[in-house]
Amino acid sequence: MRRQALLHRRNFLALGAAATAAALLPGRAFAGTPTGVKLHGLSAFGDLKYKADFTHFDYVNVDAPKGGQMNFAPPNATLNQSFLTFNTLNSLVLKGESPPRTELCFDSLMTSALDEPDAVYGLLAESVTLSPDRNGFRFTLRPQARFHDGTPVTADDVAFALKLYKEQGHPNLSNPLRYMTEAVAIDAVTLKLAFNGEQSAQNILSVVAMPIVSKAYYTANAFDASTMTPPLGSGAYKVGRVVAGQTVEYERVADYWGRDLAVNRGLNNFDRIRIDFYLDRQAAFEAFKKGDTHFREEFTSRVWATGYDFPALKDGKVVKREFSGEKSPDMQAFALNQRRPQFRDARVRRAIANCFDFEWIRRALFFGSYERSQSNFERSDYKAEGLPSPQELALLEPFREELPPETFGEPVMQPASDGSGHDRKMLGAASKLLAEAGWKRVGNFVVNEKGERLQVEMLAEDDSIIRIFTPWAENMKAIGIDASIRQVDSTQYEQRQSNFDFDLNMLHWSIGATPTADGLEILYDSRMAKVPGQRNYPGTESPAIDALIVAAGKAKSRAELVTALRALDRVLRARLDWIPSWYLANHRVAYWDMFGFPEQKPDFGFPVETAWWFDKGKAAKIGKA
């Protein structure tokens, strides 16, 4: 009860400060969007790029042929999905590990345009109407929408799905829905959603993107079951052949109800998308070299620099090239778990960060690629620069007593080493920080007043991260930290992440071009420090951070959002809740030369499996027809 009372108090303080912040950010998002009028799309800030009569997105080829197969190595995943194995086809709950791209089997109310930072257009929903107070949304569904068994997708299905997620869904689904007070089917094609007014103005953008499931199916089947039976969907693909833990195939639905919609034209071109699972990175690479995998994005610098010398590439059958990265903030960072008392002192966190010699790793392991991250909003306007602006200070000042003094100066930077791998100056500074925090050197280790060693266990899932952790651990040992590396299998790794059972862990996360309060809460909000399955890995609990998330959600314009997130960036960097690691500007990919694709990639996504197509002529030339 004491912990609950503390949490409630933190929420009260955050909301009180947020009221001050909100006063500086007048109005709400969608303030320029008319109410009482049927809209074909929504955008958090500004006008929609595409008019109501648009025929397709600009980044697709509407004449792309249908057919063929892509054996695809997914570069990203969501919810409970895993790259290494799977034991369920249910990706909508926290339990189990599901394969990536199950989302292709489900439609949502609306879908994103990948050449706009925050716009969504109607998919299941033909239109949406805002209520005068902007806390209510009335959707008119397309009457032709169908599940794969031919039954209609109705407003009752949508209301059922959203209420189900709110109560039992994966935390990334349930969290945005906690503000929803009502989901009612007015009739078969009319849905009313109401919110309590405490939601961020961009909250609805998360809700309309959620997959919609069948009420009849999940009335007859347990929603939270780990099952290899494919749930009933309505999307462009359905689950085909499955070999548990090894292979999943998604088959294009030939009579897909939405194939001719403007939001789908030129997309979903492959007859079959196949994903094979490998526990070992080298085995996955060998499968690509043999042609068992057709598309691969390379994340290991050593392999990119030295491994692409196999016969198929030399013969021109495989293409190796880079595509531009997205115009979205990139977050890749290490978390020290502050639920464990030895990491609650920022001086300890900074000492451990000082032992990470990025310059040596870049030279010795990354072959000169990657740049050092300094921010959780790298590559974006949200990254703090220079001294705080008056607008940023207005958000930060109410929390001056809580925040580190460094918050109010130039943004904190991670130190650059001499690249030797054992920078004496940095390690000396780390030792001094540990001493200031009360850790004394006794023999080979530093200990606290109880005589307990400062231990750091670094959690790893595969060999590539161990290569990076090893020199870091050696530097920690040099200053008396009892550092070790624990490699576990995929299932254990997911379980330990979800239950916050680690000392040090790594996360690469896509925050989105227009970060929403819901997305920020997953990473930084105090409440999420105690919710299994969320990504607040450090266990951050800060009224200031909570208030800045609220301020971001209240932003009326992109300029106001930038102000709130730059202020948040200053706080995160000063506290060192996350230790920024590195980032890459481009996508490094290789593929068998049997595909066509639009040369102009969209700015906010890289939808290879849906926007590319099978080219019979190219495939015939390389013997893949």
Side-chain angles (χ1 to χ4, degrees), residues 29 43-45 116-119 202 205-206 327-329 377 380 382 511-520 552 555 557-558 561-562 565 604:
S43 178
F45 307 115
E116 297 178 85
D118 51 36
Q202 297 89 14
L205 300 182
S206 299
K327 295 181 179 179
S328 305
F377 303 104
S380 77
Y382 310 128
I511 302 175
T514 303
T516 65
D518 301 318
L520 295 169
S557 66
R558 186 164 296 278
L561 180 65
V562 167
L565 294 183
F604 303 105

Side-chain angles (χ1 to χ4, degrees), residues 106-407:
F106 300 95
D107 284 323
S108 52
L109 284 170
M110 307 182 85
T111 188
S112 297
L114 299 182
D115 53 354
E116 297 178 85
D118 51 36
V120 291
Y121 295 87
L123 179 49
L124 285 172
E126 189 173 60
S127 66
V128 56
T129 304
L130 278 65
S131 66
D133 65 0
R134 304 180 189 279
N135 288 324
F137 301 84
R138 184 177 290 249
F139 295 89
T140 300
L141 271 58
R142 301 182 194 273
Q144 68 269 35
R146 291 289 185 272
F147 287 109
H148 293 151
D149 64 356
T151 58
V153 181
T154 68
D156 200 29
D157 290 304
V158 181
F160 171 84
L162 297 181
K163 288 187 283 190
L164 186 64
Y165 298 156
K166 181 178 179 178
E167 297 298 325
Q168 302 180 48
H170 187 283
N172 289 5
L173 297 172
S174 62
N175 180 51
L177 290 167
R178 71 184 188 276
Y179 305 105
M180 187 181 74
T181 58
E182 192 176 31
V184 177
I186 305 300
D187 56 38
V189 296
T190 309
L191 172 76
K192 176 185 176 184
L193 298 183
F195 296 81
N196 62 13
E198 297 178 7
Q199 77 280 4
S200 72
Q202 297 89 14
N203 172 265
I204 191 63
L205 300 182
S206 299
V207 174
V208 299
M210 293 181 180
I212 300 305
V213 296
S214 163
K215 179 179 179 179
Y217 181 86
Y218 277 118
T219 299
N221 297 275
F223 174 66
D224 62 351
S226 289
T227 176
M228 299 305 290
T229 300
L232 179 62
S234 63
Y237 287 86
K238 61 182 179 180
V239 175
R241 189 173 74 91
V242 174
V243 181
Q246 299 180 34
T247 299
V248 62
E249 293 181 354
Y250 299 105
E251 297 177 352
R252 187 169 60 84
V253 178
D255 59 349
Y256 169 48
W257 74 270
R259 62 185 179 276
D260 295 324
L261 295 179
V263 295
N264 285 328
R265 292 193 66 206
L267 296 171
N268 308 314
N269 301 312
F270 294 106
D271 280 348
R272 187 175 295 103
I273 299 171
R274 171 174 166 164
I275 300 174
D276 293 314
F277 294 78
Y278 301 90
L279 294 176
D280 179 76
R281 281 179 183 255
Q282 187 58 39
F285 185 46
E286 293 300 322
F288 173 75
K289 289 161 64 175
K290 291 189 298 181
D292 293 340
T293 302
H294 301 150
F295 174 93
R296 169 185 174 88
E297 184 163 357
E298 186 58 68
F299 296 101
T300 303
S301 297
R302 174 183 54 82
V303 176
W304 185 251
T306 65
Y308 286 82
D309 60 353
F310 49 93
L313 190 139
K314 294 178 180 178
D315 294 342
K317 296 180 179 181
V318 170
V319 177
K320 176 190 176 189
R321 64 170 287 185
E322 295 190 14
F323 290 84
S324 61
E326 283 67 68
K327 295 181 179 179
S328 305
D330 187 85
M331 176 191 169
Q332 181 163 294
F334 303 103
L336 283 164
N337 190 352
Q338 295 169 45
R339 299 168 188 84
R340 301 187 173 174
Q342 66 266 38
F343 305 125
R344 291 175 188 161
D345 192 316
R347 292 169 294 188
V348 172
R349 302 196 294 272
R350 196 158 300 282
I352 292 171
N354 270 24
C355 296
F356 179 65
D357 192 332
F358 172 77
E359 285 68 29
W360 182 86
I361 289 172
R362 185 177 190 271
R363 174 177 56 82
L365 302 180
F366 290 167
F367 292 81
S369 63
Y370 292 107
E371 301 297 329
R372 181 67 195 266
S373 294
Q374 297 292 344
S375 164
N376 283 9
F377 303 104
E378 202 63 62
R379 299 191 318 186
S380 77
D381 292 339
Y382 310 128
K383 179 180 178 180
E385 303 281 356
L387 294 173
S389 68
Q391 294 82 4
E392 290 174 58
L393 286 173
L395 297 175
L396 295 170
E397 282 293 349
F399 302 96
R400 184 175 281 274
E401 291 186 7
E402 174 201 338
L403 296 173
E406 295 87 352
T407 307

Side-chain angles (χ1 to χ4, degrees), residues 511-570:
I511 302 175
T514 303
T516 65
D518 301 318
L520 295 169
E521 286 170 350
I522 290 171
L523 297 165
Y524 311 123
D525 187 84
S526 296
R527 292 174 305 102
M528 301 306 160
K530 296 179 175 65
V531 179
Q534 294 289 22
R535 304 300 184 184
N536 186 345
Y537 288 164
T540 303
E541 295 187 65
S542 164
I545 289 176
D546 295 345
L548 290 170
I549 292 172
V550 172
K554 298 283 186 180
K556 177 185 175 183
S557 66
R558 186 164 296 278
E560 290 171 350
L561 180 65
V562 167
T563 294
L565 294 183
R566 284 181 179 175
L568 175 60
D569 187 39
R570 292 180 189 278

